[in-house]
Amino acid sequence: MESIFALILLCVTGTHVSSSPGPLEDVVIDRYDIPRVCPREVQTGDFVRYHYNGTFTDGKKFDSSHERGAPFSGQVGLGRLITGLDRGVQGMCVNERRKVTVPPHLAYGSIGAGDVIPADTVLVFDVVLLDIWNTEDKVQTRTLSKPESCKRLVEATDFIRYHYNGTLLNGVSFDSSHSRNGTYDTYVGMGYLIKGMDEGLIGMCVGETRTIIIPPFLAYEEKGYGTVIPSQATLVFEVFMIDLFNPKDDIAVVVKEVPKTCTRKTVVGDYIRYHYNGTFQDGSGFDTSYQRNSTYNTYIGMGYVIQGMDKALQGLCIGEKRRVILPPHMAYGEKGTGDLIPGSAVLVFDIHVIDFHNPKDLVEIKVTSKPEKCNLTSEVDDLIQYRYNCSLMDGTLLYSSKIYDTEYNQDIETTNKVIEGLDEGLRGMCVGEKRVVIVPPHLGHGENGAKGVPSSAVLHFELELLDLQKGVPDGYMFVWLGDSPDPLFPAMDLNKDLSVPLEEFTAFINIQVAEGTGRLRPGMDADGIIKDMFNNQDRNSDGKIVAEELKLKVEEDSDKARHEEL
């Protein structure tokens, strides 16, 4: 077969080509299959690659590149082919099929070619052009689609991730990243790619689709590549740019929305709750907190999240919205994470800060309205009446009340008490005063939250104090506002008969309350409280208190007697 291959390369001097056959016939060309699009035709000096079948006029085959499984490659118009075939392929398009009939004087003439081609033989070549290129060719690029916004272009030393379909010039596919379901990831302009691809990728945007045509001398040249890319093959790549970054990149931040007021910004050590949408640079999503209907909660700058996010979460206001772009070396690196995030992926997060706090934060109190006269303010153990609205820091209303009654006390574990932070925020208020009180989670409902209250939520209260009744310490039913009568029993024995029944005891206590020398626990039935106090002193349960009963208790424990008695 090699001898036949050599035969075609022999040069036979031809004569002038005439449009009409004469005594010396010219090459006859039958273009029986012409592609609709022909961006380029073969010219003198071009290199071509084509398959052919060579037959005599009776149809007998004398040579075939198809049977050898390797197309012919050579340069046109420089005497390296038999003259007739040299002329016969000029003007061809890639994928064009021609039947080229070559007279003897433009083939092997009166000499022939050994035992294969007799003298004075007309040769018929059925040719299909596979490739065409020239030593002056350059990489050709054509943009098929491009995003409206393109803030950054591929430059040398960038690391990129892209999908591609690779074909030969005649459209035969040789490789595709899509079929492997994985992008091609590499540095640009650093020799990791063939020269033409290194050049063709420069200037692309993320989201751009581009066709890159690479001549053989900027691709795999004479060696080709295995069995998929033949020698001296022009390569056509359709490239879709997925991702782009540089190893020197830092995070990029685009502020989208900032609240009008921002009294404080996040710092290292704060605990933040935020919503996010996570996408790749091509816009495809990989995760979102909104779909889970739950914020992402974490400490800032303490290594609980990826490095880039730890940095991006600093300097934010409550309610702020921003986009942060994290290069892989500040995200999940070359390995990615599971099936969710591929290796070397740039991550884009659109975040919305719901709230943040610091474990050292105290309750914030802002008085929004206060009456001119304020002689009495709320204290521990007082009974108060107040209106309130409770919201999250993003304005989401959690619950509200027209009037809410509570015994004002620090003991937050008692069911009729309020959370510790609100308890603190209600102190020192005047009737008619209005406040905004911000309660951090550790003084609110904590990490577990409550019914309707998310975990670790900062609470925003709007308060108005409507009424105030001074209280008594927890566990007491009655307290003296000054020194109690001494001795107590004679003062209690109003009719001086040395015996105090319930009616007389009740009258005595009511006198103390009316005169302001004593106070009953507010918010409870006064008669019920007094009866309980009486029963505590009526040791023998005979329906009356005598001096000995009162004295006996004082002797047992004067502090306890005062506590249980009055």
Side-chain angles (χ1 to χ4, degrees), residues 198-308:
D198 251 350
E199 181 180 333
L201 292 168
I202 297 295
M204 287 192 74
C205 301
V206 170
E208 179 179 345
T209 301
R210 174 183 286 191
T211 297
I212 302 174
I213 302 174
I214 304 173
F217 55 88
L218 294 175
Y220 293 99
E221 304 179 286
E222 294 182 4
K223 294 180 179 180
Y225 189 83
T227 58
V228 293
I229 298 178
S231 171
Q232 301 290 20
T234 300
L235 306 183
V236 181
F237 290 93
E238 184 176 287
V239 175
F240 176 60
M241 189 60 61
I242 300 291
D243 218 343
L244 156 66
F245 76 95
N246 195 282
K248 297 180 181 179
D249 285 348
D250 197 351
I251 65 169
V253 176
V254 179
V255 177
K256 292 188 169 183
E257 184 178 324
V258 179
K260 293 181 180 179
T261 58
C262 181
T263 58
R264 176 182 164 189
K265 295 185 178 182
T266 54
V267 296
V268 172
D270 284 342
Y271 190 87
I272 188 170
R273 297 193 314 122
Y274 63 94
H275 272 300
Y276 69 88
N277 284 319
T279 63
F280 300 114
Q281 285 203 96
D282 64 353
S284 59
F286 62 83
D287 191 20
T288 173
S289 64
Y290 294 98
Q291 192 173 37
R292 295 189 297 273
N293 196 30
S294 175
T295 56
Y296 191 86
N297 308 337
T298 187
Y299 285 97
I300 300 173
M302 299 176 68
Y304 291 100
V305 291
I306 52 178
Q307 180 186 357

Side-chain angles (χ1 to χ4, degrees), residues 436-453:
V436 171
V437 176
I438 309 298
V439 179
H442 51 275
L443 297 174
H445 293 287
E447 294 182 2
N448 296 325
K451 185 178 180 180
V453 181

Side-chain angles (χ1 to χ4, degrees), residues 471-472 478-484 512-513 515-519 562:
V472 299
F478 174 89
V479 293
W480 294 100
L481 300 181
D483 292 333
S484 62
Q512 310 313 308
V513 172
E515 292 179 353
T517 58
R519 180 185 302 150
R562 181 170 182 176

Side-chain angles (χ1 to χ4, degrees), residues 152 159 243-253 281 306-309 311 324-334 344-349:
R152 178 172 179 177
F159 192 91
D243 218 343
L244 156 66
F245 76 95
N246 195 282
K248 297 180 181 179
D249 285 348
D250 197 351
I251 65 169
V253 176
Q281 285 203 96
I306 52 178
Q307 180 186 357
M309 186 60 81
K311 185 175 182 179
V324 294
I325 303 170
L326 312 183
H329 50 276
M330 301 189 76
Y332 292 98
E334 296 180 3
S344 301
V346 176
L347 305 184
V348 181
F349 288 94

Side-chain angles (χ1 to χ4, degrees), residues 406-422:
T406 183
E407 185 173 357
Y408 181 55
N409 194 283
Q410 297 182 75
D411 183 4
I412 62 172
E413 295 181 357
T414 306
T415 56
N416 64 336
K417 307 302 189 296
V418 296
I419 57 175
E420 184 178 354
L422 180 57

